[in-house]
Amino acid sequence: MSKTNNLFSEFDTLTSKRWKQQIQFELNGADYNETIVWESPEGIKVKPFYHLDEVSKIEFTNNTPENGFEILQNIFVHDVKKSNQRALDSLNRGAESIRFTIENETISIEELMQNLPLKENTYYFYLPFLSIDFATKVCEFSAKHQAKFIMLIDPISQLTKDGNWFVNLEKDFEKLNSIASTSSINFLNISAGIYQNSGANIMQQLAYSLAHVNEYFNRIPAIKHPITIEIAVGTNYFFEIAKLRALRILFHTLAKEYHHNFDCNIIATPTKRNKTIYDYNVNMLRTTTECMSAILGGANAVANLPYDTLYHKDNEFGDRISRNQLLILKHESYFDKVNNPADGAYYIESLTEQLAEKALVLFKEIEEKGGFLALLKEGIIQRKIFESAQKEQDLFDSGKEVLLGTNKFPNKNDRMKNDLELYPFVKHNPRKTLITPIIEKRLAEKLEQERLSQEE
């Protein structure tokens, strides 16, 4: 027997029952369940401890290889030459992949990619439009230069955010199927971050993301490339780790039914929902823990959110700080150098299983009622998200959910009115839409508007 085993053999083996008895004794008669067991918005009861004899039925993940996540830099393409220079500068400063948001199809791919290392780094092209010709150009450039390109095309996301399709359901999917039949690179994207940013709880986020994927599986006969899923990561540290793990499990379960043998490619970004314009430096603390959750949860790429993204236009300092947060996690904290430390953690494994099970039940309910698009058209998805968001908003307004520097220990001398380069609140654009859009809204918006109105 080893010295280690000799050491631990000196201690009695304690069951979960004995631990619970000891805790109840220390509580001096207070009720165990009411005092220290709390329930999450997803209906998961979180216990003060987890023991092997209570989770032995769970199939544990063992020794997942270290996560070589990529540091992803977001670049909105307005001026092609400046975007090209910014991409090159970002790569030189530690970014490992670039996500270009291209607003129109007149952009020259050749000019945008000039002098960039095409084989060493991954380039994502987020396209908020639907164009067969532009998709063809991206594929042809990728094939010609053996570049690592991934397109991010998601007509359903256009519907959820805008309330309308690019054209209509039939024509959008006709174009998407044409791209699917000819594309030589990954092209299909699930922009699932909107569900978190609009206030859906974790179970809803997972179920709606899965139902979103299923619409594409049903409407595109053969998806020959991996699917990218963009996810927003909230502040509930362990739950968010479990969320990403559950998402991958659920995707595998669904994909198997369609004989889709590829793993999903997960891009994670910190949520905007808990970010603030007052005491904005606290945003760096929030995004750091959210990036940690994303990495430990198994994201393939992490795009951090600059601390000033709500009220400042893109700027070099904000980008550098957000990128450096990921560089520290990767190269100084060695998050990519060890086999996943979340494996075998009873709490995380239990959360993963429960979230996956609850989300699968909700997903099945969605499909029984006609599918994701049908429920969007009826407004059911929007109503469920609103109800979840309102519960969280009530907790924030009452002070039970805390954002430091905003509804707890605010700096009354903080002034922001003259620093707002961007409008940080929900924008209202009355117009005729096919469905009610899903609206992203931050918890602090009402409070911040009140403070701004009182500034001298």
Side-chain angles (χ1 to χ4, degrees):
M1 185 179 291
S2 69
K3 291 183 179 180
T4 301
N5 287 335
N6 274 325
L7 174 65
F8 286 103
S9 67
E10 296 178 11
F11 298 91
D12 293 334
T13 300
L14 297 179
T15 64
S16 59
K17 182 178 180 180
R18 288 187 61 186
W19 276 110
K20 187 174 180 180
Q21 288 172 342
Q22 182 63 34
I23 292 172
Q24 288 178 316
F25 174 77
E26 298 291 342
L27 289 173
N28 293 320
D31 185 86
Y32 173 88
N33 290 316
E34 293 184 2
T35 306
I36 54 179
V37 175
W38 61 274
E39 186 170 322
S40 77
E42 297 77 22
I44 293 176
K45 294 185 182 299
V46 180
K47 299 178 292 186
F49 72 96
Y50 287 78
H51 193 282
L52 180 61
D53 63 18
E54 291 184 320
V55 297
S56 57
K57 67 182 181 69
I58 295 176
E59 186 176 338
F60 290 105
T61 305
N62 292 312
N63 209 32
T64 303
E66 63 273 9
N67 180 22
F69 72 98
E70 291 184 342
I71 298 173
L72 177 59
Q73 180 68 56
N74 289 319
I75 297 178
F76 288 85
V77 181
H78 301 294
D79 183 297
V80 176
K81 289 185 178 180
K82 289 182 179 179
S83 297
N84 172 268
Q85 293 168 359
R86 187 177 165 200
L88 188 57
D89 180 66
S90 298
L91 293 171
N92 289 334
R93 292 185 174 207
E96 296 161 326
S97 54
I98 302 291
R99 176 165 52 185
F100 290 114
T101 295
I102 299 176
E103 295 184 321
N104 63 76
E105 55 186 294
T106 63
I107 295 295
S108 168
I109 296 296
E110 289 77 10
E111 189 176 353
L112 182 62
M113 303 308 297
Q114 189 174 6
N115 298 323
L116 292 176
L118 299 177
K119 297 180 182 180
E120 293 81 7
N121 303 96
T122 304
Y123 299 89
Y124 296 87
F125 297 86
Y126 175 70
L127 308 180
F129 56 87
L130 191 56
S131 168
I132 297 173
D133 290 340
F134 191 83
T136 301
K137 290 178 184 178
V138 174
C139 291
E140 288 176 348
F141 186 96
S142 174
K144 180 179 178 180
H145 298 277
Q146 297 182 320
K148 296 170 67 176
F149 282 4
I150 295 176
M151 288 187 292
L152 303 174
I153 303 174
D154 186 2
I156 294 177
S157 174
Q158 163 69 16
L159 177 68
T160 61
K161 292 177 181 178
D162 184 73
N164 290 311
W165 296 97
F166 291 114
V167 181
N168 57 48
L169 187 152
E170 291 75 19
K171 290 185 179 179
D172 280 11
F173 272 96
E174 182 180 332
K175 286 185 178 181
L176 195 59
N177 271 288
S178 178
I179 293 171
S181 65
T182 60
S183 178
S184 57
I185 62 175
N186 303 2
F187 71 95
L188 191 56
N189 182 48
I190 309 298
S191 296
I194 189 172
Y195 308 128
Q196 209 286 339
N197 285 319
S198 58
N201 64 43
I202 291 177
M203 179 186 66
Q204 291 172 328
Q205 294 170 47
L206 290 169
Y208 297 161
S209 299
L210 198 64
H212 191 149
V213 175
N214 197 47
E215 290 290 346
Y216 287 125
F217 276 135
N218 279 326
R219 296 172 186 274
I220 302 176
I223 301 175
K224 300 176 290 185
H225 303 284
I227 296 173
T228 300
I229 302 178
E230 297 180 81
I231 200 85
V233 181
T235 194
N236 194 341
Y237 186 70
F238 292 107
F239 270 70
E240 293 294 334
I241 295 173
K243 179 177 81 176
L244 266 72
R245 292 158 63 93
L247 176 62
R248 206 175 285 278
I249 292 170
L250 290 167
F251 179 85
H252 286 166
T253 302
L254 179 64
K256 190 183 298 182
E257 296 299 315
Y258 291 92
H259 307 289
H260 180 80
N261 299 317
F262 299 99
D263 193 2
C264 58
N265 178 44
I266 297 178
I267 299 175
T269 302
T271 182
K272 292 181 181 178
R273 188 157 170 78
N274 63 357
K275 303 304 180 290
T276 59
I277 60 174
Y278 287 97
D279 211 350
Y280 47 75
N281 287 322
V282 180
N283 289 334
M284 282 188 275
L285 303 179
R286 298 178 183 127
T287 56
T288 297
T289 62
E290 288 158 3
C291 287
M292 290 166 65
S293 292
I295 296 164
L296 295 178
N300 299 98
V302 181
N304 197 9
L305 206 63
Y307 73 97
D308 59 349
T309 192
L310 298 176
Y311 64 93
H312 270 170
K313 296 178 182 178
D314 288 347
N315 61 90
E316 193 276 335
F317 183 77
D319 283 346
R320 179 164 61 87
I321 294 299
S322 64
R323 190 169 54 245
N324 285 350
Q325 289 173 259
L326 291 171
L327 286 168
I328 289 171
L329 290 176
K330 189 164 191 175
H331 298 298
E332 295 187 27
S333 302
Y334 305 112
F335 269 48
D336 66 329
K337 292 294 189 294
V338 296
N339 288 353
N340 194 343
D343 285 353
Y346 301 157
Y347 180 36
I348 296 175
E349 297 282 6
S350 177
L351 289 179
T352 301
E353 182 188 52
Q354 291 182 76
L355 287 173
E357 288 179 350
K358 287 178 175 291
L360 190 59
V361 170
L362 180 55
F363 166 73
K364 290 179 179 178
E365 291 177 1
I366 292 170
E367 294 306 308
E368 288 172 359
K369 293 177 181 178
F372 189 62
L373 292 180
L375 267 60
L376 278 173
K377 189 173 183 179
E378 294 175 23
I380 294 174
I381 299 294
Q382 298 90 321
R383 177 169 56 82
K384 293 293 185 181
I385 292 176
F386 177 80
E387 290 171 355
S388 176
Q390 192 58 51
K391 288 179 182 178
E392 187 181 20
Q393 189 69 56
D394 291 343
L395 291 173
F396 173 81
D397 293 343
S398 66
K400 293 180 181 178
E401 181 162 337
V402 173
L403 292 182
L404 288 176
T406 300
N407 69 339
K408 188 78 169 179
F409 306 125
N411 178 4
K412 298 298 184 181
N413 297 319
D414 203 359
R415 297 288 182 271
M416 288 299 297
K417 183 179 289 186
N418 296 325
D419 293 328
L420 301 182
E421 297 177 354
L422 301 172
Y423 186 72
F425 309 115
V426 172
K427 297 177 182 178
H428 299 281
N429 180 23
R431 65 197 189 284
K432 185 177 181 180
T433 59
L434 181 65
I435 69 165
T436 302
I438 296 175
I439 306 298
E440 297 183 353
K441 186 178 181 181
R442 296 181 298 109
L443 289 168
E445 289 199 15
K446 181 181 177 182
L447 189 152
E448 289 173 346
Q449 287 174 313
E450 291 173 355
R451 288 184 63 175
L452 284 170
S453 67
Q454 295 168 7
E455 285 187 20
E456 297 177 358

